[in-house]
Amino acid sequence: MKNIYLLMLLSLGLIMQSHGQQAFKAYLNESGQVMTQAVDVDNNLNKTSVLEQLPGFPKKMEASPNFKNFRGVTLADIDQDGQDEILAASFNRLNVYKGDGSLLWQKSLTGTAIYPPAVADMDGNGTIGIVCVTGGVPNNGRVYYLDAVGNDISGWPLSFESHWIICGPVIADMNGDDQCEIIVQTRTSNNLHILNQDGSSFGANWPQTLDGTPAITPSVADINNDGVMDIITAISDGTMYAFDASGNALSGFPIASDNYSFSYQSPLLVDFDGTGNLSIVGSTHGDVPKFYARESDGSYRAGWPVAVPENYWTYSPPTVVDLNGDGNYSIFMSRPTGEDAAPMLYGFNPDGSMMDNFPITKSGGLEGFISVADIDADGEHELIFGSNLMIEGMGFIHAYKMDGSGELEGFPLRPTGFTFMNGANLGDIDGDGLVDLVALSYEQNFSPTDSVFINAYRLEVDIETANILAGTYKGSNDHSGHITMPEAYASILVDPEEITQSWSGNEIYCSDLSISNTGDAELEFDIETNYLRDNWITVNPTSASILPGESLLVEVCLDATELQNGMYQAELLVNSNDPVNPQLIIPVNLFITVGTVEMNSKKLTVYPNPTKGIIQLKLEENASILKLYNLQGQLLDEINMEEKSELQLDLQPYQQNALMLEVKYQNGALARQLIVIN
């Protein structure tokens, strides 16, 4: 048997060498190994990436010669610095990288890591926990529970007689005490575990023994809306299980196979009907592979299952998102295909009908996770995903429109190696507010020199505009698989962003501050005034509530009747329940001169404004003197302007962010201009 296996590897290596410039398609064998075969595809597929990778990328990591990575990386801000770190488990190490490609920390592992780690707040107080599992042949499995800097939590790692910890880990609060538990499964012993944070079993009824090899990453939520958390899992022969937190089987479970099998197609749990009962959504392979949606009691939903075309085995996990935020969900599933272009990515409605403009047709098919985001800022979401194909040593990350118009301009991206069984993780790894795409790829030569690559690209769209609906395996870093409605929240917009007035004084100047609620929940705000000099502002009203989509005008009055000459500065602190912008600061600047001729602003032209430091001035005749003040009203400089109508002025030596420029004319008139210096 050993000689046959070696001969197979040698033959495969010769095939790969002889077809070095051809295309290869990846697939899995029964042991979960990634296999490859040479295929002939359209030469037009071999496009070059338009986007360059971020500085410091790609990162190269050691790969197992036998078992390659599934389901990408994990992006999470584990050090709370405002930017996501990249957590990538490969072979016998967990590597954590910063957005510049530098290694934050590394953890040596016993066994082979295939799945990305799960990451969550373990106690509701921001305590980050990281769970990583290993396996391999021979069995050498471990469950690692780490803190944010890579230290083992006391009592960990755990070994269950070194059995392979099959599929990915899940983190969930099983009993509502704000302390998360860890859910894993063991191969060979076929156990489903719930583990406390000290490593002990969750209760006397755990672990549960399944009747075969666990085949999917479990999904966790209150499936039947009874207030108790439940776990969905399945074994390779197609049997699906559902247990409550006490280890009791839910009514209707286990469900026997309907001529299908499970391997790696972890389901999602979603409330399609607004009843609180969750549907179970996923795919299968086997004799009669199906895309399915089941009710919380295990029965099929109306319109389901849908046969996988041509009986192709698929290992794809589903993606379920609410595209419009209206409670109507869309379901995306995929399958492998042959050498020719064929339907491979399907968009379903909850009743099993096909969405308009689907399926998407291309060569090679797909069995990785599908991400959903508006990455071209056109107001419509795109589908971002990998491929089963590799051409001339490079894989694919695709981005397709949902209107049937095909692939987004600039795609596909072409990382080194296969992206098979992985996908495109979306986040912000460099803290610039723009979406970054991180994709895992790998070589598959069945060699100890094989490598895994972390590829990172900047997409020129900000996080808020992109509205990422799905950007990681199973939709969240805890891998619970529970798809929830986006939480409604208020969103504040204030106009103008700064109030500046300059006049001769002895007046009260009032203007309107517009406060708008562009969110989905009621906005509550209050306004405080922070003075840097005297009290001279009134605000009405100082607090109010604004319904979604509505606006309110707040009157802001600047009272100069009791003030002396100079610059007065204050801030309006607009506090609200907008979770993104809980406090907005509106600068208020007032520059007054009492007892002068009324200012005529047409006597002075200044450009550019704002400026990087150098400004040009154009003056009317009979200018007398130019004065520069800081925002505290202190005189910084005086320049004689007689017989000058134009002047270039360098403001950088004053080391100010803003200056008030005042020109006095021979008839006593004044012209003032606030200059902003970037």
Side-chain angles (χ1 to χ4, degrees), residues 417-476:
F418 285 101
T419 60
F420 174 61
M421 294 292 285
N422 289 282
N425 295 91
L426 303 178
D428 182 6
I429 63 173
D430 53 9
D432 64 356
L434 300 178
V435 176
D436 299 314
L437 186 157
V438 179
L440 205 64
S441 61
Y442 54 81
E443 299 169 320
Q444 179 58 321
N445 300 309
F446 299 94
S447 167
T449 61
D450 282 353
S451 295
V452 174
F453 303 93
I454 301 174
N455 308 276
Y457 307 84
R458 178 183 292 115
L459 307 181
E460 296 300 327
V461 58
D462 64 80
I463 290 284
E464 184 175 352
T465 300
N467 187 21
I468 300 170
L469 300 180
T472 195
Y473 173 52
K474 298 188 70 179
S476 62

Side-chain angles (χ1 to χ4, degrees), residues 301-313:
R301 283 182 62 88
W304 299 88
V306 176
V308 177
E310 301 176 74
N311 278 346
Y312 266 98
W313 283 31

Side-chain angles (χ1 to χ4, degrees), residues 11-32:
S11 299
L12 184 61
L14 292 174
I15 291 173
M16 295 183 71
Q17 289 177 9
S18 64
H19 295 275
Q21 300 302 309
Q22 291 188 1
F24 291 87
K25 185 176 74 171
Y27 64 97
L28 289 183
N29 67 13
E30 292 183 358
S31 298

Side-chain angles (χ1 to χ4, degrees), residues 409-640:
E409 184 178 355
F411 282 82
L413 307 178
R414 300 298 309 279
T416 298
F418 285 101
T419 60
F420 174 61
M421 294 292 285
N422 289 282
N425 295 91
L426 303 178
D428 182 6
I429 63 173
D430 53 9
D432 64 356
L434 300 178
V435 176
D436 299 314
L437 186 157
V438 179
L440 205 64
S441 61
Y442 54 81
E443 299 169 320
Q444 179 58 321
N445 300 309
F446 299 94
S447 167
T449 61
D450 282 353
S451 295
V452 174
F453 303 93
I454 301 174
N455 308 276
Y457 307 84
R458 178 183 292 115
L459 307 181
E460 296 300 327
V461 58
D462 64 80
I463 290 284
E464 184 175 352
T465 300
N467 187 21
I468 300 170
L469 300 180
T472 195
Y473 173 52
K474 298 188 70 179
S476 62
N477 285 340
D478 59 16
H479 298 167
S480 67
H482 183 199
I483 306 302
T484 59
M485 280 286 292
E487 182 180 355
Y489 62 89
S491 180
I492 191 170
L493 178 66
V494 178
D495 183 53
E497 297 179 351
E498 180 175 338
I499 298 174
T500 297
Q501 289 299 323
S502 175
W503 76 100
S504 59
N506 293 318
E507 301 175 18
I508 298 176
Y509 175 82
C510 295
S511 63
D512 289 329
L513 190 70
S514 174
I515 300 181
S516 302
N517 180 7
T518 60
D520 303 313
E522 187 173 5
L523 174 71
E524 299 178 356
F525 75 90
D526 65 80
I527 301 176
E528 303 175 43
T529 306
N530 179 28
Y531 294 101
L532 302 183
R533 180 180 178 186
D534 297 322
N535 297 334
W536 41 277
I537 300 176
T538 57
V539 177
N540 183 37
T542 57
S543 62
S545 298
I546 305 176
L547 295 175
E550 296 188 2
S551 300
L552 178 69
L553 295 180
V554 174
E555 185 180 59
V556 179
C557 294
L558 314 183
D559 185 354
T561 57
E562 301 295 330
L563 301 180
Q564 302 299 313
N565 292 359
M567 170 63 74
Y568 294 82
Q569 193 175 25
E571 296 172 333
L572 299 182
L573 308 180
V574 184
N575 306 300
S576 74
N577 60 334
D578 179 343
V580 178
N581 298 297
Q583 184 181 80
L584 294 177
I585 300 176
I586 309 299
V588 183
N589 303 304
L590 173 63
F591 191 92
I592 61 174
T593 302
V594 179
T596 63
V597 176
E598 183 178 355
M599 179 187 71
N600 182 350
S601 61
K602 294 182 180 180
K603 295 180 179 291
L604 176 62
T605 301
V606 181
Y607 62 92
N609 187 18
T611 177
K612 293 183 178 180
I614 306 296
I615 60 172
Q616 304 289 332
L617 287 76
K618 288 188 177 182
L619 311 168
E620 294 189 5
E621 296 181 356
N622 301 318
S624 174
I625 193 167
L626 182 149
K627 294 183 180 181
L628 292 173
Y629 296 88
N630 63 19
L631 294 186
Q632 288 70 48
Q634 298 169 322
L635 179 64
L636 300 180
D637 205 352
E638 293 187 14
I639 301 173
N640 189 335

Side-chain angles (χ1 to χ4, degrees), residues 168-463:
V170 177
I171 301 174
D173 181 2
M174 296 300 298
N175 58 1
D177 65 352
D178 294 326
Q179 297 294 316
C180 284
E181 283 71 48
I182 296 166
I183 297 94
V184 296
Q185 298 170 124
T186 54
R187 187 172 182 172
T188 307
S189 59
N190 301 335
N191 288 330
L192 170 65
H193 295 265
I194 303 179
L195 303 169
N196 296 313
Q197 292 186 39
D198 63 3
S200 62
S201 288
F202 184 64
N205 291 334
W206 296 98
Q208 287 287 322
T209 300
L210 309 177
D211 293 326
T213 302
I216 63 172
T217 299
S219 290
V220 181
D222 179 5
I223 300 166
N224 54 9
N225 199 27
D226 65 353
V228 178
M229 295 293 280
D230 308 303
I231 301 177
I232 290 286
T233 193
I235 59 177
S236 58
D237 74 356
T239 304
M240 178 180 287
Y241 296 83
F243 299 98
D244 67 17
S246 298
N248 302 308
L250 299 191
S251 177
F253 292 88
I255 303 169
S257 170
D258 183 12
N259 292 316
Y260 59 75
S261 302
F262 285 110
S263 292
Y264 315 111
Q265 314 95 335
S266 297
L268 297 178
L269 308 175
V270 58
D271 181 3
F272 287 124
D273 306 313
T275 63
N277 291 307
L278 304 181
S279 293
I280 308 162
V281 184
S283 59
T284 63
H285 63 71
D287 293 336
V288 186
K290 300 175 175 70
F291 299 126
Y292 69 87
R294 294 183 178 273
E295 303 284 14
S296 59
D297 63 1
S299 61
Y300 282 121
R301 283 182 62 88
W304 299 88
V306 176
V308 177
E310 301 176 74
N311 278 346
Y312 266 98
W313 283 31
T314 179
Y315 301 109
S316 64
T319 289
V320 180
V321 295
D322 179 358
L323 290 171
N324 301 312
D326 58 4
N328 294 311
Y329 287 91
S330 300
I331 304 162
F332 300 103
M333 300 184 184
S334 62
R335 64 159 184 152
T337 61
E339 302 177 15
D340 298 327
M344 46 71 62
L345 197 160
Y346 301 85
F348 295 106
N349 298 305
D351 64 1
S353 62
M354 193 75 68
M355 294 171 57
D356 292 341
N357 304 313
F358 283 87
I360 291 173
T361 297
K362 76 171 194 68
S363 297
L366 166 70
E367 292 169 279
F369 66 87
I370 302 165
S371 293
V372 184
D374 179 9
I375 60 172
D376 63 353
D378 68 347
E380 301 292 333
H381 287 82
E382 286 75 50
L383 300 175
I384 307 102
F385 52 90
S387 175
N388 293 1
L389 290 179
M390 180 183 73
I391 300 178
E392 294 189 358
M394 293 183 293
F396 296 84
I397 294 292
H398 296 282
Y400 272 74
K401 306 292 291 182
M402 286 194 237
D403 60 4
S405 60
E407 188 147 22
L408 197 66
E409 184 178 355
F411 282 82
L413 307 178
R414 300 298 309 279
T416 298
F418 285 101
T419 60
F420 174 61
M421 294 292 285
N422 289 282
N425 295 91
L426 303 178
D428 182 6
I429 63 173
D430 53 9
D432 64 356
L434 300 178
V435 176
D436 299 314
L437 186 157
V438 179
L440 205 64
S441 61
Y442 54 81
E443 299 169 320
Q444 179 58 321
N445 300 309
F446 299 94
S447 167
T449 61
D450 282 353
S451 295
V452 174
F453 303 93
I454 301 174
N455 308 276
Y457 307 84
R458 178 183 292 115
L459 307 181
E460 296 300 327
V461 58
D462 64 80
I463 290 284

